[in-house]
Amino acid sequence: GQNIDQPTEMTATEGAIVQINCTYQTSGFNGLFWYQQHAGEAPTFLSYNVLDGLEEKGRFSSFLSRSKGYSYLLLKELQMKDSASYLCDIMDSNYQLIWGAGTKLIIKP
Amino acid sequence: GAVVSQHPSRVICKSGTSVKIECRSLDFQATTMFWYRQFPKQSLMLMATSNEGSKATYEQGVEKDKFLINHASLTLSTLTVTSAHPEDSSFYICSARDPSSGGIPYEQYFGPGTRLTVT
């Protein structure tokens, strides 16, 4: 079956660094996406990894290991506006998106 | 580029009535659009894939006679929730693929979502 696991909730302090992990087992792999979703809004694209390694984009970085079925999203210099849900999802062999349940990130001052 | 709009953003309807949600690609032609549903504190669940000019493909467990999808043009797909019930209250999100995009293959661009409340 298809399965994506990520922690349900995490808490971090403003200005700090947080790493959100995602493990997956899917039928085929055509890339891994991270999205940010604020309550009541649609997801917004953060990153895309299709090859192993680290992709850095400003304060956000995403890492992928295909052999381990593992990814993480690293957020640096946390700001209050980063409080949101972070969704890990996989594009499977049919180019459909399989979504994780999301990690709710709470930022405290 | 690659902007997707949805209308309405919020709708309240009475049980038993029908409601239509529109999804438009504003600056590109979308041959494929997707409809998702999201309940509170849950992930996005794909309801159906809509291809322009053909019947939608529904995911297992989604009632095609209840959730009518029409993709009549390359820039518009509509989802009609027929005979709505309170359990249909949810956040409905559409997305679209831009086949002319040179970016991420098969990337989906998301609309802002529609909050449906059935009373």
Side-chain angles (χ1 to χ4, degrees):
Chain A
Q2 315 221 79
N3 193 46
I4 298 177
D5 287 318
Q6 32 178 152
T8 303
E9 187 174 297
M10 298 181 71
T11 302
T13 305
E14 188 177 16
I17 299 173
V18 70
Q19 177 174 312
I20 303 174
N21 295 324
C22 171
T23 57
Y24 63 89
Q25 288 181 310
T26 56
S27 56
F29 180 86
N30 279 301
L32 183 146
F33 293 81
W34 284 96
Y35 282 86
Q36 180 190 63
Q37 187 178 27
H38 285 99
E41 299 180 11
T44 55
F45 171 82
L46 289 179
S47 68
Y48 171 71
N49 295 67
V50 67
L51 300 176
D52 290 352
L54 187 68
E55 294 281 341
E56 296 184 83
K57 187 185 297 184
R59 295 190 297 116
F60 294 1
S61 302
S62 57
F63 171 83
L64 174 67
S65 169
R66 288 171 297 170
S67 62
K68 295 182 179 178
Y70 168 71
S71 172
Y72 67 73
L73 179 69
L74 191 71
L75 294 78
K76 302 176 183 176
E77 301 170 17
L78 287 169
Q79 302 174 9
M80 298 303 293
K81 67 179 182 180
D82 296 330
S83 291
S85 288
Y86 291 85
L87 309 174
C88 169
D89 66 275
I90 307 296
M91 185 175 284
D92 69 9
S93 56
N94 294 318
Y95 298 97
Q96 299 283 47
L97 292 178
I98 311 299
W99 294 83
T103 298
K104 182 179 180 180
L105 178 63
I106 300 169
I107 310 297
K108 295 186 175 180
Chain B
V3 178
V4 176
S5 70
Q6 271 183 252
H7 178 79
S9 57
R10 291 177 178 271
V11 58
I12 301 173
C13 70
K14 293 186 177 180
S15 185
T17 61
S18 296
V19 62
K20 180 185 287 187
I21 303 170
E22 293 185 348
C23 177
R24 294 181 184 273
S25 55
L26 298 185
D27 52 0
F28 65 98
Q29 293 184 325
T31 52
T32 305
M33 289 184 169
F34 303 87
W35 286 97
Y36 294 87
R37 180 169 52 181
Q38 186 177 33
F39 293 107
K41 299 184 180 180
Q42 294 187 22
S43 185
L44 278 73
M45 297 298 296
L46 179 65
M47 299 176 67
T49 301
S50 167
N51 292 298
E52 187 268 337
S54 63
K55 291 184 178 180
T57 303
Y58 289 81
E59 295 299 301
Q60 192 173 10
V62 178
E63 300 174 59
K64 59 182 66 178
D65 293 330
K66 180 172 180 62
F67 298 99
L68 303 179
I69 292 173
N70 186 299
H71 193 161
S73 78
L74 286 171
T75 58
L76 174 64
S77 176
T78 60
L79 167 68
T80 301
V81 183
T82 63
S83 187
H85 289 104
E87 56 263 33
D88 298 324
S89 298
S90 187
F91 191 48
Y92 292 84
I93 306 172
C94 74
S95 69
R97 282 184 181 152
D98 178 3
S100 66
S101 171
I104 299 169
Y106 299 93
E107 182 179 4
Q108 294 181 26
Y109 300 94
F110 288 87
T114 297
R115 174 74 58 191
L116 170 63
T117 303
V118 184
T119 61

